[in-house]
Amino acid sequence: MEAGPRDTEQDAPDALHGADRLSPDGPDELEVTPEVEVELRPARRLRIWQLAPIVMLAAVGSLMFAFPLAFEFGDGGAVVAMLGLLISCCAAGWGMMAARRVGYTWPGLPQRGSGERSDWRVIALYVVACGTLVALAIWRVARLR
């Protein structure tokens, strides 16, 4: 017998069967199960206790604004309508602040802290829409007198 390396392929033919699945740095990726990312925190949503006062305030304000304008309740109708408009705007602002705190944004605007710049056309559209609504409301209340 001579001393030297042995030819293991001839000695153990079934050793080849297990050797083709291994690479020098471990098992192939085919056998590794895919990793799944799971979010541990629940999704941030507006809860019912946050939405209920906002919706109730908006409903009361819009009714205070709509009824004097629609039925013209004497001389105090304009004052009640403006108070209703103020309450409705407060409810809208409160709702926007709550939604922003949860992470929601207006359509067309980037997420908070994303580093993206908002498009000036989207902002101009929002300004024109809000300005038009305010102008129509003031015009309608001014016609009551």
Side-chain angles (χ1 to χ4, degrees):
M1 266 208 230
E2 64 184 63
R6 294 186 180 180
D7 190 5
T8 55
E9 290 180 13
Q10 291 177 358
D11 293 341
D14 57 329
L16 250 182
H17 181 57
D20 65 334
R21 294 187 321 200
L22 296 177
S23 63
D25 55 346
D28 289 340
E29 275 72 17
L30 298 175
E31 295 181 21
V32 177
T33 58
E35 294 180 10
V36 178
E37 292 184 24
V38 177
E39 182 67 36
L40 297 177
R41 293 179 299 206
R44 297 179 74 182
R45 293 188 193 122
L46 286 173
R47 306 283 184 232
I48 189 70
W49 60 269
Q50 291 171 317
L51 286 175
I54 296 169
V55 170
M56 288 174 34
L57 199 64
V60 167
S62 64
L63 288 175
M64 285 177 68
F65 180 65
F67 273 100
L69 295 179
F71 301 114
E72 296 189 28
F73 291 135
D75 292 337
V79 174
V80 174
M82 288 306 286
L83 182 62
L85 181 63
L86 178 68
I87 291 173
S88 296
C89 290
C90 288
W94 192 7
M96 287 185 337
M97 291 297 290
R100 185 171 174 88
R101 188 156 219 173
V102 173
Y104 296 142
T105 61
W106 284 80
L109 297 179
Q111 282 282 349
R112 185 176 177 186
S114 67
E116 297 178 30
R117 293 190 55 165
S118 53
D119 190 11
W120 66 270
R121 293 174 290 210
V122 174
I123 294 173
L125 179 69
Y126 284 133
V127 168
V128 167
C130 289
T132 303
L133 290 175
V134 168
L136 286 173
I138 291 173
W139 176 63
R140 179 63 177 121
V141 170
R143 282 192 42 200
L144 286 177
R145 292 196 170 246

